[in-house]
Amino acid sequence: MTLKIGIDVGGTFTDFVVTRDGAEPAIFKTLSTPSDPSIAVVNGLRDIAASMNPPMTLEAFAPTIATIVHGTTVTTNATLTGTGAKSGLLTTEGVRDALEMRRGVREEQYNNRYTNVKPLVPRYLRAGIPGRLDRDGVETAPLDLDAVKEAIALFRDEGVQAVSICFMNSFANPAHEQAAAKLVRRELPDAYLSVSTDLLPSIRFYERVSTTALNSYVGPKLNHYLDQLVGRLKGIGFDGLLLIMQSNGGVISPQLARENAALTLLSGPAGGPGAGLHYVRVHGQNKCIITDMGGTSFEASVAVDAPMIKNDGEIARHKIALPMLDIHTIGAGGGSIGWLDEGGLLRMGPQSAGADPGPACYGKGGRLPATTDANVVLGYLDPDFFAGGRMKLDVEAARAAILEHVATPMGLSIEDAAAGMYRVACNNMAQGVREVTIKRGFDPREFPFIPAGGAGPIHSCLICEELEIPLQIVPRESSVLCAFGMLMSELKHDFVRTFVSRLDAIDWAKLGAIIDAMAAEGARLLDEERIPEARRRFDVKLDCRYVKQYHEVSFVVPRELVEAGDAAAIARAFHAEHNRLYGYSLEQENTPVEVINVRVQAIGITDKPVARHEEWAGDDASHALKCKRAVYIPETKKFREVPVYDGHRMRHGNRIDGPAMIEQETTAIFVSASYDCVVDALGSFALYQKGRADLVASCIKDKKEAVA
């Protein structure tokens, strides 16, 4: 049987999902090792080997693994913490300050204390090089190679680890950048090099220079980590296929990840959206909201037919213009620390206790109250069953931390302070969901809600109450959803070329040739990855806008429309997408449309884990009842004894009425007083608003029972 493992390195825990053909996925977690994340990877593999029947040594187990798909937060953390490489920048004379000036727009217009983000490359290491190309790529001034050599000498003297090259209008002609790159490779062979026309050959200088600088800033860190990871895996005898998760929801080889490190800036949470769609389809749905609450952060995204992709975004206020999943991240996790601001108001995060020392209840020396501490005090976590009982939680330490830092300063009881921490954390996460729904033109009430991460299902009912969402689906693998989604990901390679033309005056032959060239490059990469032609797909997108408009809209265009030169059909697709995003279109006004960029995504289809479908087991869940426990009920603001069920023993069709708790080894699910729960055919826990059993009628055997 083929053994595949998905690995998601988080701030607190490293998650593992193990799949074999025809077998249920197995879930494992181990504490992350921030100083060297590859240590946690090997520790987890050792735990998996020991769990085999019969138990195996790590060295005997590793050679049996066919594929490892790995998501990493190394580049993300390097950017967030400002610990990337010392970098230099070669750019066009006169524009070296573009990286600092950005678009000249202050993000918070009315905040006089708001300062500009610190550039990734300090000014003295940003070298302006004489030489110029016009917008069509025609050289108007030759590149000054002596100035390039002088800049390289400065970089060498200053101990620069990475170099970025980004010249004005180079997207139209890469000659100057390639000439400069040749010198850098010769004179600084050990430096990490990023060339904008290799990474992002498209219009808009600031976006291009920022993306290129980001790539260089995180590249050496990722290279070092991949060296550690590959070395450790080789040392234990792994000789299978290693794939790295990238921000667009696809996977790539480690070598491509090394060369294009910025592609991994959202590597960790990128597996979640695809997995979310897998779990809602059994309910007849093609869309969902996916959230992931880990130890440090909370991510929210939307999927409609496929995960939502955007072509630019920000990380730590730095612009990045590479295709990535539309994921909104805030500092709200199980380790988020509760504190009082200058006005005495309770805040949660973004500071986090992380994995070490962790929340106070971990008993590892933490003294500050975190979200997990509040969950323990409120009864949502069993201190003797955390991580399946492998880790005991210190309730008294949690109470003491909340008393000192929240309850006493606010004049509250410990329980009321914990309830306040819980509500603030949930409200923060609800606002994060609004960012990817309401602000994107979606009504969250129309989407099933997928709470993931070890802490997600404890908070999901209150989040959904706030957003009026009637249906939640908690997969059995919810605590490791991103790792599971990684095993469902395709190989993906994105290409973009600037092609500016009014839609009604396009040179269709030239456009087709550009698409063919990008598709050929994608095919070459898929050849290297040994993907047969029958398992390849090439998707075409156009970035279009109304003439004189600033922002473009990116949308899929069937290749046959380009081949037929059907401008009218492409325009209709653009108008429809513009209307969905912004609530209006200018179709009736006959406003001309222009193309700015053309994109091609080369996709290699991979083998997926086999989906399980459980047999109907009836609605009685009493066989899974463990005990009763006092938990805090948000609707009444009081504690109440509620039944606690063993989630591992619940089967398809089993029903429970809220309020209740469902416990698994790696997560706990709080079913509030406003929701009931039924197990669907995939073994997921479907939580629906009381009186809305019609929402789950399609996921159980007897539909009449479902709506009774």
Side-chain angles (χ1 to χ4, degrees), residues 7-264:
I7 305 175
D8 177 22
V9 177
T12 305
F13 287 98
T14 295
D15 300 338
F16 299 79
V17 173
V18 182
T19 63
R20 288 182 184 270
D21 296 337
E24 251 185 58
I27 298 171
F28 297 85
K29 279 179 175 279
T30 189
L31 283 173
S32 294
T33 50
S35 60
D36 181 357
S38 66
I39 295 175
V41 171
V42 174
N43 290 343
L45 293 176
R46 183 176 289 108
D47 292 341
I48 296 169
S51 73
M52 293 288 115
N53 188 15
M56 301 174 67
T57 65
L58 179 58
E59 290 72 21
F61 173 68
T64 70
I65 305 171
T67 305
I68 291 177
V69 185
H70 180 43
T72 175
T73 56
V74 168
T75 53
T76 310
N77 293 340
T79 308
L80 294 177
T81 58
T83 56
K86 186 174 185 179
S87 304
L89 171 66
L90 299 176
T91 189
T92 302
E93 186 179 45
V95 296
R96 69 169 178 165
D97 290 323
L99 195 62
E100 192 159 359
M101 295 169 64
R102 306 192 292 167
R103 285 289 174 191
V105 177
R106 191 163 66 182
E107 293 125 300
E108 296 187 11
Q109 297 181 32
Y110 304 107
N111 184 352
N112 291 329
R113 298 181 180 180
Y114 203 68
T115 57
N116 196 6
V117 65
K118 183 180 179 180
L120 297 176
V121 184
R123 192 172 195 268
Y124 80 101
L125 292 177
R126 303 196 298 260
I129 307 298
R132 200 64 181 260
L133 303 169
D134 69 14
R135 66 179 184 177
D136 296 317
V138 177
E139 184 179 82
T140 59
L143 182 68
D144 188 340
L145 294 178
D146 289 334
V148 174
K149 293 175 182 176
E150 290 176 11
I152 292 173
L154 171 66
F155 295 162
R156 184 187 298 109
D157 292 343
E158 292 294 328
V160 164
Q161 301 165 291
V163 177
S164 302
I165 300 176
C166 184
F167 294 142
M168 289 283 288
N169 296 323
S170 59
F171 67 88
N173 180 355
H176 283 188
E177 288 194 355
Q178 295 303 324
K182 184 177 180 180
L183 283 177
V184 173
R185 291 190 182 100
R186 188 181 73 195
E187 302 295 330
L188 292 175
D190 295 330
Y192 185 93
L193 177 61
S194 299
V195 181
S196 82
T197 44
D198 292 338
L199 183 69
L200 182 68
S202 65
I203 200 169
R204 291 217 168 103
F205 180 71
Y206 167 63
E207 281 77 3
R208 187 156 46 86
V209 71
S210 178
T211 302
T212 308
L214 256 174
N215 196 72
S216 287
Y217 187 70
V218 299
K221 279 264 185 177
L222 183 65
N223 266 350
H224 177 65
Y225 172 64
L226 289 178
D227 285 342
Q228 291 177 314
L229 178 66
V230 171
R232 291 187 189 278
L233 291 176
K234 184 178 180 180
I236 63 174
F238 171 73
D239 59 358
L241 178 64
L242 174 64
L243 296 171
I244 306 300
M245 197 72 191
Q246 54 179 328
S247 304
N248 65 2
V251 292
I252 52 176
S253 67
Q255 184 55 40
L256 279 175
R258 290 175 187 273
E259 297 168 2
N260 304 283
L263 293 176
T264 68

Side-chain angles (χ1 to χ4, degrees), residues 295-306:
T296 305
S297 62
F298 172 84
E299 285 91 21
S301 59
V302 168
V304 180
D305 291 322

